[in-house]
Amino acid sequence: MYTELIKIIEGGLNHNPKKVVSYSKHLAKKLREDGADKLADKIMKTIEGSTGIPVYKDQLFDAPVDNDTRLNIADIILPQDIKLDILLSESIQNPVNNFISLVNSKNEIESKGLEMNLSLLLYGPPGCGKTTLAKHIAKELDIPIVIARFDSLISSLLGNTAKNIRKLFDYAKSKPCILFLDEFDAIAKARDDNHETGELKRVINSLLQNIDDFLETGILIAATNHEQLLDSAIWRRFEKVINVNKPNSDEIKNLIGSYFNKVDSKLDIEDKKFDMLSSYLNDFSHSEIIKIINSAFYNSIIKNKEFEYDEIFSEYFKYKHNNRFTPEEMIRFLNESHIPQKQIASYLDISIRQVRNALNVE
């Protein structure tokens, strides 16, 4: 019995929840054999009621480094430092909440004799919020997130890359955290790619082995913009998979409306210009939409004027055409967007005659 107590203490000091749980069960079994059923039941109830996430508040998180360059191979963000203001669509929120619940229910699920791992793969176009979602999950679970830095993780010497991968997983395994592998396709490409070398394929094999070992106790999230490049064996490793796509029409309207509320805008969402703006931004990513509206809002502050649709339409037009257009093209676009001629002249700081000339009207 003293052996179990010592092992439990060792597991706690080394932040090894698996060891703590294992020897706590051994202790409960011995207590039951000695007739101490109430204490044994209390120990088992405590184990089953735990989230399995150890305390991290007093731990010092020093990022692991590449031995040659001494550059960090990961960034560590504590949950209290994650500042997010996100609007999740129902199609994303439900599976994300399901994954969070899965993490919190891990011990209870495993107590029923079921095997599981805590892994999530996010895929979809760039700028749709995959990294933001990973941080959101870390914030909700109140644990740090370790974000792999592939610019320093991947070495020109592939043997060193395999060592860095091992070091990264060992580091994440030793601490309570989420390991987040962004741009996952950089190291998880299909091994049947004829353009890849045998050494790189060995790196991928090493990655798979590290993932299997890590998922015995750890939480893994990966994200990719190029899911078609992933090795088929990678998909089988993940318990949950979420397609993080571009917002649909209703989601775009909700995103814009939420932004207007956030900045206390007086713009009327019942105005037909609101529907027109939403249609313009169709097929844009979340980050592109926010970037366009942010630019318009910043300009209104710089110019010390009301935040108006003309500013947003203008920023959209500039973004769409990469700032390559003539003044006449901008005038015609704003006119087609139902911005009055006088407002166009005022916005562009030109005369009403110049506006009418561009529109070929008297």
Side-chain angles (χ1 to χ4, degrees), residues 44-52 104 107:
M44 293 305 298
K45 187 176 180 180
T46 301
I47 292 172
E48 292 168 6
S50 169
T51 62
N104 288 328
N107 284 343

Side-chain angles (χ1 to χ4, degrees), residues 138-288:
K139 182 77 172 177
E140 290 297 303
L141 291 171
D142 194 30
I143 55 175
I145 182 168
V146 175
I147 304 176
R149 295 190 55 171
F150 287 112
D151 56 341
S152 50
L153 181 71
I154 298 176
S155 171
S156 58
L157 300 174
L158 291 176
N160 287 349
T161 297
K163 291 177 183 177
N164 282 342
I165 290 171
R166 178 68 181 180
K167 181 183 290 186
L168 175 68
F169 277 88
D170 284 347
Y171 173 85
K173 193 175 181 181
S174 70
K175 300 178 182 296
C177 67
I178 290 174
L179 176 57
F180 179 48
L181 305 178
D182 203 357
E183 299 181 9
F184 191 42
D185 49 274
I187 57 169
K189 289 184 179 179
R191 286 167 290 182
D192 58 3
D193 188 336
N194 294 328
H195 297 288
E196 302 298 358
T197 66
E199 183 62 31
L200 184 55
K201 291 174 183 178
R202 283 191 285 275
V203 168
I204 297 169
N205 288 334
S206 173
L207 171 67
L208 293 172
Q209 291 168 5
N210 277 285
I211 288 176
D212 289 339
D213 182 54
F214 178 75
L215 286 178
E216 290 182 8
T217 56
I219 306 172
L220 176 67
I221 301 178
T224 179
N225 302 331
H226 306 286
E227 66 278 6
Q228 72 280 1
L229 298 179
L230 295 183
D231 191 279
S232 59
I234 290 294
W235 292 89
R236 296 194 296 270
R237 260 67 180 184
F238 287 89
E239 185 79 18
K240 300 290 182 182
V241 176
I242 301 177
N243 181 5
V244 186
N245 222 322
K246 293 179 180 179
N248 60 33
S249 178
D250 288 339
E251 290 167 352
I252 290 171
K253 289 180 180 180
N254 288 337
L255 186 62
I256 299 171
S258 176
Y259 186 97
F260 286 176
N261 288 333
K262 180 181 176 181
V263 300
D264 197 24
S265 167
K266 296 179 182 178
L267 290 176
D268 185 4
I269 62 173
E270 300 299 326
D271 192 314
K272 61 183 178 182
K273 296 188 188 69
F274 180 81
D275 290 331
M276 184 167 289
L277 174 61
S278 300
S279 67
Y280 284 155
L281 296 174
N282 188 40
D283 204 38
F284 279 62
S285 70
H286 296 77
S287 63
E288 288 175 314

